[in-house]
Amino acid sequence: MSEFGAWHILTLGHYLPMGSPLHRLDPRVRLLSVLVLGGALMVRGQLAVLFLGLLLVLLLLALARVPLGHALRGVRALVPLLGVVLLLQLLFYPHRRALVAGSPALWQAGRFVVSAAGVVALVALCLRMVALVLLLTLLTSIADATDLVHAVEGLLRPLQGIGFPAHELALVFVIALRFLPLLAREMERLMKAQAARGADFGHGRGYIVQRVRRTFPLLVPLFVLALRRAEELAVAMEARGYAGGKGRSYLVRLRMRHADWLALAAAVALAVLLLWLDLGSLEQALFRSLG
Amino acid sequence: MPHLAGAAKQPLIRVEGVHFAYPSAGGLAVPALRGVDLTIAPGEYIALIGPNGSGKSTLARLLNGLLLPTSGRIWVKGMDTADPRFRQAIRRTVGMVFQNPESQFVATVVEEDVAFGPENLGLPEEELRARVEWALQVTGLSSLRYRSPAHLSGGQKQRLALAGVLAMRPEVLILDEATSMLDPAGRHEVRRIVAQLHRAGLAILSITQAMEEAAEAERVVVLYEGRIALDGSPSEVFTDVGRLQSLGLDVPPMAHLARMLGARVPSFPPVVLTPAQMVAAVRERAGGGCR
Amino acid sequence: MKPLIEVHSLHYTYLRGTPLETVALRGVDLVVYPGEVVGLVGPTGSGKSTLLQHLNGLLRPQAGRVVVDGMDLGDSRTDLRAVRRKVGLLFQSPEDQLFERYVADDVAYGPLQYGLPPEEVRARVRRAMLAVGLPPEAYADRPTFALSGGERRRVALAGVLALDPQVLVLDEPLAGLDPAGRRLLASLLEEWCAQEGRAIVWASHSMDEVARSADRMYLLAEGRVIREGTPREIFGDAELLLEHGLDVPAVTWVLRELARAGLPVRTDVLTLEEACDVLEGVLR
């Protein structure tokens, strides 16, 4: 691929119109379910629970007919970051305190010790990150930009009654989404235009100030362009009678069907289960076997 | 030369003694319009021409209340643009399509973008649907209704902008250099639809730099340094070549050719503005050999 | 005469190997000699833009050859930055790419990127600004964003001319300018090209524009060169142009309609003067 090629991939997500049962759910349910499950995964720390969580996400991916290879591609991109995080985790984990609390030591080098508890926490973290990335991939595979917009808008709309600027917020979201491909294309064009004048974007030499200055030929025009487009759009919107969310009607009406309620209930139930499950005894057994 | 046809009917838009100055950063206001009087009758097709900086876009934005005159008044169907109570009604009556195809669409789906205007008016759902259908049909976009606007061609994007405006059922359509950023195919698409709309009774105000386009209107208004310099039929305006050139404008190429021919062939009519008129004029006078 | 640019059988596909792949060029041949203005005309989607980006190495050929002043752009050893000094490319709406606060600084960006010494940079900026009709005394310290669109476009052009290229590649250089602006820029470009050893590749979908300025033209459609020749030769075939969604100049259209109506007129006419002569013959 050329030095500039990557930018057209910057559109939101990798939506795959598979037509699975998950695809046909109300967009609000798709979004809420992922948020709720993601929340549960972020809160828990137990290895066994996170392992179950990961299995659950894999199951959902299968239900959504997302090919495993496609899903894992997102994880593969994560590997370098994962490596760094895990290394930091290993170094900064309070191993000594864990030893005092009863965890066996696994390895020692001078004053530095690695406890079993530390390694377990490491693996748990790993599982959590993978599960969350897969969950995000699931969301973007079953919901495209428009679905997400409808979901956000639909969820916030009831709040309009109490004076919350739901429509305005949703509009901010829509407009940001629809400008993404435009700005990505512009960025590519700018890189090419400056490269045509001899700019060399390849190497990260020089002091931080120099390196920042080197991005000006891209950022300044992009910013100016984005602001200009925003102003033009604002004028066009006003010309079409936009006056905020009050008194507006809507073409798209989301209606929850039985299947949607069931799916939402299932998602909430699973999230609650993940939050409630205590498999601490399994971890203790694991330590004992390692010790 | 004031245009008299249609004066018997109530004018759609009346501009009286309008001055407008842009507030400037240094505190000195920059005058854009210096005393403009104009009426637009229902169903009239007017071309507004003038050099850059003459105030054309400013005048357009005053007609739908996007800008308010510094002095003078503008009435749209009897409603004063300065009165905030009439804002929505005026924006419904006076529709505007702008120059840049990229900066007019709001939504991520074509049909939802068309609905944006009527939604702002708070119309009930069936009415919304009906208007969206009709607007998509008139602009030939029905088969593209579920596409993302970002993936449309330039001409299609401008047709979408038109659809979005038409869905509000305006009585006047203002085109602010709406075809200047399009390729020839796109220009044809848009001009064809505009001609169709005019035949159906819509008043059109077309701001253009292309004299060939201006030649197709019923009336040409020339703006120069914030004032109306000429106002008449295309034949009247475009035969005043000396005056036009002193204003920094040009005549349609066919008018040039006609003058050149008129200098060599005495009976050749001085008033030929469009290629079709030229063909007709030559055929009429060419005599033998003509089918 | 040795060509400045040679393109042989160029193929290019975007996003090759992915489900979104699009073939942009299907075997294009093109040659540019010193001293000429080569027009490139084609509807949107014909591959014009893709072809232009191959001429200064922004895109590398996937199949076929692109040779610039003896340098083969398909060879991985070729220094592309050296190529970009010989071939200056100006994109559409180049005024959007300006970023420096003051005009002279933006024009100096190119030469500075190539590490030229300050006095050399200053001299080049001067020459470039004069070449685009923006005298340095008046414009060097003006804020870039305070200029009009037409002036900013000329600043962008100066930025490319400051690298002293042999070939200028222009994508829709006159689009969006008012008639006076178009005339000015067109004459500046003609003046520049008149210098020794220079050439211009001018891409546009406005036939009128290209007809007026080009010595030779390539008609591109769907990634292929459909026709090559002088503007007169290509205009003689109005059917071909219309078939590919291109505009025919008004005079050409008029004469074609008259020819179809049976009048004895030539249709390979480019200017109003020529049309006048032809029509006079028929009207007397």
Side-chain angles (χ1 to χ4, degrees), chain A residues 137-172:
Chain A
T137 307
L138 174 70
L139 180 62
T140 55
S141 302
I142 62 176
D144 68 5
T146 310
D147 289 323
L148 291 175
V149 164
H150 290 160
V152 169
E153 223 262 312
L155 286 171
L156 295 178
R157 201 183 298 175
L159 299 174
Q160 187 89 38
I162 58 168
F164 185 76
H167 182 258
E168 283 83 338
L169 274 181
L171 200 59
V172 167

Side-chain angles (χ1 to χ4, degrees), chain C residues 200-223:
Chain C
I200 290 185
V201 176
W202 187 312
S204 175
H205 46 59
S206 161
M207 294 299 283
D208 266 313
E209 194 177 289
V210 174
R212 224 170 293 143
S213 319
D215 301 305
R216 254 190 328 124
M217 275 173 63
Y218 288 88
L219 184 52
L220 212 64
E222 286 163 19

Side-chain angles (χ1 to χ4, degrees), chain C residues 2 5 34 37 47 66 87 94-95 128 154 158 170-171 175 179 191 201 230 241 243 245 255:
Chain C
K2 200 160 112 49
I5 298 182
V37 174
V66 177
V87 178
E95 55 275 10
R154 285 187 278 148
L170 307 164
D171 195 352
E191 251 181 75
V201 176
T230 64
L241 296 171
E243 201 182 300
L255 287 165

Side-chain angles (χ1 to χ4, degrees), chain B residues 61-74:
Chain B
R61 283 161 174 71
L62 283 162
L63 296 180
N64 69 349
L66 283 174
L67 294 173
L68 295 178
T70 322
S71 69
R73 300 257 277 278
I74 300 176

Side-chain angles (χ1 to χ4, degrees), chain C residues 206-276:
Chain C
S206 161
M207 294 299 283
D208 266 313
E209 194 177 289
V210 174
R212 224 170 293 143
S213 319
D215 301 305
R216 254 190 328 124
M217 275 173 63
Y218 288 88
L219 184 52
L220 212 64
E222 286 163 19
R224 268 185 267 266
V225 173
I226 307 278
R227 189 67 66 87
E228 187 223 323
T230 64
R232 196 174 297 281
E233 286 163 3
I234 296 194
F235 281 114
D237 197 347
E239 301 308 327
L240 184 68
L241 296 171
L242 291 170
E243 201 182 300
H244 289 284
L246 288 168
D247 248 354
V248 175
V251 286
T252 315
W253 185 85
V254 166
L255 287 165
R256 176 175 158 272
E257 287 296 299
L258 291 172
R260 273 167 56 167
L263 288 175
V265 288
R266 308 174 12 223
T267 55
D268 61 338
V269 153
L270 295 180
T271 63
L272 289 179
E273 290 74 24
E274 289 171 14
C276 192

Side-chain angles (χ1 to χ4, degrees), chain B residues 52 183-184 188 264 275 289 291, chain C residues 44 247 260-262 277 280 284:
Chain B
N52 275 354
D183 65 359
H188 282 312
R264 307 213 209 152
R291 275 204 281 274
Chain C
T44 327
D247 248 354
R260 273 167 56 167
D277 291 333
E280 190 190 346
R284 280 196 183 285

Side-chain angles (χ1 to χ4, degrees), chain B residues 89 178-179:
Chain B
T179 57

